[in-house]
Amino acid sequence: MKRLFFVLAWLCVALGFLGVFLPLLPTTPFLLLALFLFARSSPRWRIALMKHRLLGPYIRGYASNEGLSVRTKATTLAVMWAAMLFSVVFIVRTPWLRILLLAIAVGVSVHILLKKTRKSGRS
C-alpha cells in the first residue's frame, strides 16, 4: 500500500505543479493530498515537499492554518490571473466558457484574499 500511496503522491505533486500554470486545474487540493499520501508512504518526502523553495511556503500556510504571506497571496493571484486572462483572450473562443473561467478566477481570488494573512516570517 505504501508504494501505491507514494506513486499517487508524486502524481498529485505533478498535477499540483501543472495547476499553477493551467486554469481549471487546482493546485492546492493536489498538493495537500500529496502531503497526506507522503505522510503515509514516505515522511522524508513529505518534509521535502514542505521545505520546497517554491511550493513549501504555500502548502505550509494551508496545512498549518498559519495563513499565507502577502507575497504568497500576491504571487498566487498574479500567476492565476495571467493564466486565466491568457486563456480567455487567446485560447477559449466560447463565450460561456470565458465567463466561467473569469467567474472561477474571481472565486479563487476571493478565497485567497479571505485566507488568513501571516503577519511575520519569510515567504
Side-chain angles (χ1 to χ4, degrees), residues 6-121:
F6 186 75
V7 170
L8 290 174
W10 277 110
L11 177 64
C12 288
V13 170
L15 290 171
F17 184 76
L18 285 174
V20 171
F21 305 101
L22 299 174
L24 293 181
L25 188 62
T27 300
T28 306
F30 282 122
L31 294 177
L32 293 176
L33 182 55
L35 282 180
F36 172 83
L37 293 167
F38 276 139
R40 276 132 187 89
S41 62
S42 176
R44 181 176 67 98
W45 280 106
R46 182 186 186 279
I47 292 168
L49 182 58
M50 293 284 280
K51 290 183 176 182
H52 188 271
R53 188 175 63 88
L54 299 174
L55 301 176
Y58 185 71
I59 52 180
R60 276 194 311 270
Y62 268 91
S64 69
N65 286 328
E66 67 186 27
L68 302 173
S69 69
V70 172
R71 179 180 179 191
T72 300
K73 285 183 176 187
T75 302
T76 300
L77 290 172
V79 171
M80 180 198 62
W81 275 100
M84 286 292 194
L85 291 174
F86 179 83
S87 296
V88 166
V89 172
F90 297 110
I91 297 174
V92 176
R93 296 289 174 227
T94 310
W96 69 266
L97 191 53
R98 285 179 171 174
I99 292 168
L100 177 63
L101 285 175
L102 293 173
I104 290 169
V106 168
V108 171
S109 296
V110 168
H111 170 74
I112 289 170
L113 291 171
L114 291 177
K115 186 78 176 151
K116 182 179 174 184
T117 301
R118 186 176 5 179
K119 303 228 186 299
S120 63

